[in-house]
Amino acid sequence: MHVFALGASRATGYHVALNFLEKGDMVSIPLRTPGTLETDEAMKKYLEDGKLVLYACDAMKAGDIARVWAAAIERAPVDLVFFGIGPGVRFEMSSLARGGIAVPPNASTVCFLNVIQAIYSTSTQEATGSSSTTNVNVEPKLVVLSAGAVTPSSLSMTPFPIRSIVSWAFHGPNVDKRGMETIVFHGWKKPYEEGMTPAEDEGVLPPLWQQRLPAEGWAKHVVVIRPPGLTDGKETGRYEARTETFRTLRMSRRDLARFVSKDLVEKWSTYEGHVVTIG
């Protein structure tokens, strides 16, 4: 298997990439600063044996993603894309009433749009028999990491005592994740939760974003994961994943990575085309 992992320089994405490498799979990672992983002790041996390739890339730039995607599928057809890019969060006195501010405000949305555009451009060339490039790829499976309290319906599953705190602290990042999920639901040709698509003045979805995508219904092999609060704890293997919302509080990033690299891959047909709650 060849995995294209975005947002894999740290946190959950790092453990996802490492899990696949430990299974013997190939992994390609685009990241702003390849040196972040070049000096990582756990990753070194996979760089040396060629299982892991790092690409300098700013995923906020469509041209960068298109270049790196072309290089990755030239290396080998990509079977699975893991998308784990998210914004940072900061708090400012001038906006404390509103809550946490995403930095940048649309990292998940714009990067995801760039990735989908790159994937679709290669699949279009293959389908039409274009000879303009040899870099073509069968549409890969796509795993999209969102957030557990991204919409009111999912937030309602957060324990009541901390619900308002979570909503306030992650206001900006959740708006960004809703932009990303709006794109997925466009791909599924399903209506998104009413009133949850970010408004134009929120600066999350680019103008005319639909025109950069295939026609509605393009997302045939996509799974969205909404995890709870994530910790740096050990892998336990004790978690539950469902295609309906349920109440959950926290889990470790290592357990979430285990789900992606093992359970999800093995039971893909169970989860394909769904939002998965896990915890």
Side-chain angles (χ1 to χ4, degrees):
M1 179 181 286
H2 183 192
V3 178
F4 189 76
L6 298 109
S9 63
R10 59 184 179 86
T12 302
Y14 172 88
H15 296 295
V16 168
L18 189 57
N19 283 1
F20 278 115
L21 288 165
E22 289 174 347
K23 289 167 57 179
D25 295 320
M26 299 170 58
V27 176
S28 295
I29 301 178
L31 69 172
R32 286 177 183 267
T33 310
T36 304
L37 294 183
E38 287 173 346
T39 57
D40 184 274
E41 288 300 321
M43 295 289 188
K44 275 184 179 179
K45 63 179 179 180
Y46 300 112
L47 286 165
E48 291 169 358
D49 69 15
K51 288 289 187 182
L52 172 62
V53 173
L54 307 176
Y55 299 94
C57 173
D58 180 354
M60 292 289 288
K61 299 177 179 178
D64 267 21
I65 283 291
R67 170 183 55 80
V68 167
W69 175 254
I73 63 174
E74 180 74 18
R75 180 187 179 207
V78 171
D79 304 288
L80 184 142
V81 174
F82 172 81
F83 185 88
I85 293 175
V89 60
R90 72 165 183 253
F91 301 91
E92 296 179 353
M93 292 298 297
S94 60
S95 61
L96 279 181
R98 190 172 187 182
I101 299 171
V103 185
N106 55 0
S108 296
T109 301
V110 170
C111 293
F112 185 66
L113 187 61
N114 291 341
V115 169
I116 295 304
Q117 191 171 20
I119 292 172
Y120 177 71
S121 68
T122 56
S123 65
T124 298
Q125 290 164 352
E126 181 180 50
T128 59
S130 170
S131 59
S132 61
T133 179
T134 59
N135 294 348
V136 294
N137 194 82
V138 175
E139 185 179 347
K141 296 180 175 70
L142 177 57
V143 181
V144 183
L145 188 60
S146 188
V150 70
T151 66
S153 64
S154 57
L155 179 63
S156 68
M157 294 294 104
T158 303
F160 181 76
I162 63 170
R163 195 175 299 168
S164 59
I165 297 173
V166 170
S167 178
W168 173 81
F170 296 100
H171 169 77
N174 281 342
V175 173
D176 184 22
K177 293 293 187 183
R178 289 199 290 270
M180 179 185 72
E181 287 194 0
T182 295
I183 295 170
V184 174
F185 275 73
H186 175 278
W188 282 338
K189 204 174 182 179
K190 296 178 182 178
Y192 193 42
E193 194 165 326
E194 186 175 357
M196 288 297 101
T197 297
E200 186 173 333
D201 61 5
E202 291 181 281
V204 173
L205 284 162
L208 306 176
W209 60 270
Q210 297 97 328
Q211 294 184 16
R212 293 177 55 185
L213 295 170
E216 285 185 302
W218 52 266
K220 296 179 174 60
H221 310 294
V222 180
V223 172
V224 173
I225 302 175
R226 290 179 178 172
L230 295 171
T231 73
D232 289 323
K234 297 179 180 179
E235 179 184 310
T236 68
R238 297 193 299 271
Y239 50 79
E240 185 177 2
R242 302 183 197 169
T243 56
E244 68 272 354
T245 304
F246 68 98
R247 183 157 294 181
T248 181
L249 182 58
R250 64 174 63 89
M251 73 182 301
S252 73
R253 292 181 176 88
R254 288 175 174 83
D255 271 337
L256 180 53
R258 172 193 167 101
F259 171 73
V260 172
S261 59
K262 184 178 187 298
D263 302 339
L264 179 57
V265 171
E266 293 176 358
K267 303 175 182 177
W268 183 265
S269 61
T270 300
Y271 302 107
E272 183 177 81
H274 292 284
V275 173
V276 176
T277 302
I278 188 170

